[in-house]
């Protein structure tokens, strides 16, 4: 009963902060569902909270969606620009007797709340203004006349059937005393007028859904399908928050994650497809279903995300990685001498790193001719006998016509053989001379990438360093 034909879905963030992991997963599932069902994905910014909404947050959310590759077909619509429509719909309910005006002050409501609590009852509005026939105007709120009896059923695509007693729902405010619509009202009007067929969102909204269904019915709109996604929790089973690490999507970009790693991670957070772990966005479109979304909360696992990131970096195209690396290099005042050089650097490093930040850190030696040696590495390996070896190597290198990985490999071997040396005596000092460190990509790869003139320059510099000791 998923009503699969031409699904119109939407993502409706409130611009009061960054796009977080949970919101991004909601956006992704909506995106996938509409893409997989020949429909459209609509972006609507719910900015009716004038105090907390900011343009900066809207920009940040849009940037994060673009970065993740979640393109929208319509919008962004801005809810605050639709207030006149909401107001008309409020009027429609008032005229039909399905809503009423209420001038209860916050103090009166609070007093009533306390009385109810004192009497051991669940606080309810109590219907004080229901029959007073007040007029709409400044300082007057509008409430939905909720049926006192009966039940409202949510046939949720993920949670199954959930039944609510109308008595519990209360006469909710649909227009505040300042003339602004409340979330539960505006969301219904907008979803209905935007012909949304499937509302997929976090299950923190499940309790709002019966209220919204009653408003759909009161306005004579077709009720859409609903799918409520389980929460995302930290390893300690508490709701995911800052103390579990970064929760904003763009923080992951800054930490050197690739968007496809995050998308792959997010899709598996509550959805599964056999044992498969690696999913590309395009492939997901045809295999994603809401039926395969789990009912229980998902646990955020940063190590798995890191593992996926490593996979995507390792398999990424070099040119593309260079584009992604440019800002990270720039932040370290590194400007690759050429595009080709940058490509060679990422090719050397991509099998060895988990993030782009690591790639930038591990690769600084490629860009600094004036290498600073790691103190311990230099102490251990840049010693007088190393100077002899490096001098001999530097003398023979220019005569090697072929400077490929294979040629370098066999040159180093025969060099060692001729002098009855172990490779272990040659490679470590050479590595420190070329990279400043004891850990690096294969020495042959490093040499090819640096190029013969730079290799010889670095060897000479190391020899001079040893001679100064
Ligand atoms: N603006 C609401 C939120 O961010 C939208 C909820 C919904 O999708 O209906 O929570």
């Amino acid at each position: 009963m998923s009503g699969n034909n031409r699904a119109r879905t939407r993502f409706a963030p409130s611009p009061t902060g960054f796009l977080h992991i949970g919101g991004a997963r909601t956006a992704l599932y909506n995106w996938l569902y509409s893409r997989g069902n020949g429909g459209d994905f609509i972006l609507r910014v719910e900015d009716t909270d004038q105090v907390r909404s900011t343009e900066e947050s809207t920009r940040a959310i849009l940037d994060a969606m673009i970065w993740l590759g979640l393109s929208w077909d319509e919008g962004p619509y801005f809810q605050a620009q639709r207030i006149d429509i909401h107001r008309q719909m409020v009027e429609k309910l008032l005229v039909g007797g399905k809503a009423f005006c209420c001038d209860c002050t916050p103090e009166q409501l609070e007093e009533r709340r306390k009385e109810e609590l004192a009497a051991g009852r669940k606080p309810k509005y109590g219907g004080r203004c229901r029959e007073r026939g007040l007029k709409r105007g400044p300082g007057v709120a509008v409430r939905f006349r909720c049926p006192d009896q009966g039940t409202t059923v949510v046939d949720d695509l993920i949670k199954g059937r959930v039944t609510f007693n109308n008595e519990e729902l209360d006469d909710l405010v649909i227009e505040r005393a300042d003339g602004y619509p409340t979330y539960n009202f505006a969301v219904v009007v907008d979803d209905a007028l935007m012909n949304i067929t499937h509302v997929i969102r976090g299950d923190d909204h499940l309790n709002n859904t019966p209220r919204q269904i009653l408003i759909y019915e009161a306005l004579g709109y077709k009720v859409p399908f609903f799918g409520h996604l389980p929460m995302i929790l930290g390893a300690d089973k508490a709701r995911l928050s800052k103390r579990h690490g970064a929760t904003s999507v763009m923080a992951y970009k800054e930490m050197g994650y690739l968007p496809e790693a995050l998308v792959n991670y997010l899709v598996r957070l509550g959805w599964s497809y056999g044992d498969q772990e690696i999913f590309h966005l395009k492939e997901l479109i045809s295999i994603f279903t809401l039926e395969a979304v789990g009912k229980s909360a998902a646990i955020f696992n940063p190590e798995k995300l890191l593992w996926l990131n490593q996979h995507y970096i390792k398999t990424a195209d070099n040119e593309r990685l260079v584009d992604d690396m440019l800002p990270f290099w720039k932040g370290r005042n590194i400007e690759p001498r050429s595009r080709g050089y940058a490509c060679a650097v990422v090719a050397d490093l991509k099998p060895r790193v988990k993030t782009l930040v690591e790639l930038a850190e591990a690769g600084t030696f490629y860009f600094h001719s004036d290498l600073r040696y790691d103190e311990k590495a230099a102490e251990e390996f840049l010693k007088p006998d190393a100077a002899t070896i490096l001098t001999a190597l530097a003398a023979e290198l220019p005569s090697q016509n072929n400077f490929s990985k294979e040629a370098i490999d066999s040159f180093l071997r025969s060099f060692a053989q001729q002098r009855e040396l172990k490779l272990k005596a040659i490679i470590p000092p050479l590595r420190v001379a070329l990279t400043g460190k004891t850990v690096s990509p294969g020495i042959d790869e490093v040499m090819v990438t640096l190029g013969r003139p730079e290799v010889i320059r670095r060897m000479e510099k190391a020899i001079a360093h040893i001679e100064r000791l």
Side-chain angles (χ1 to χ4, degrees), residues 365-383:
F365 73 85
Y366 283 102
F367 304 99
H368 295 306
S369 268
D370 195 15
L371 214 52
R372 277 195 32 215
Y373 304 118
D374 173 78
E375 223 171 278
K376 272 218 175 111
E379 224 168 81
E380 191 174 348
F381 295 110
L382 296 185
K383 292 196 284 217

Side-chain angles (χ1 to χ4, degrees), residues 10-16 26 30 44-48 79 183-184 187-188 191 199-202 204-205 208-209 212 226 228:
R10 55 35 165 209
F11 179 51
S14 303
T16 55
T26 300
N30 276 287
R44 184 176 68 234
V45 178
E46 300 207 322
D47 54 349
T48 43
Q79 195 162 56
Y183 156 71
N184 275 308
V187 79
V188 168
D191 282 342
V199 171
I200 303 164
R201 60 187 170 200
D204 47 337
H205 285 291
N208 287 323
T209 305
Q212 294 176 13
F226 290 98
H228 287 91

Side-chain angles (χ1 to χ4, degrees), residues 380-394:
E380 191 174 348
F381 295 110
L382 296 185
K383 292 196 284 217
D385 52 341
T388 320
I389 294 171
L390 290 172
T391 308
L393 269 175

Side-chain angles (χ1 to χ4, degrees), residues 15 23 29 39 169 179 184 205 277 319 347 425 435 457:
Y29 284 12
L169 301 178
N184 275 308
H205 285 291
E277 289 293 353
E319 290 278 353
T435 71
R457 195 158 38 242

Side-chain angles (χ1 to χ4, degrees), residues 348 402-411 442-445 448:
D348 283 359
N402 186 345
F403 209 66
S404 69
K405 196 161 130 38
E406 295 71 29
I408 289 171
D409 232 28
S410 67
F411 162 70
I443 201 68
D444 44 4
E445 293 168 54
V448 175

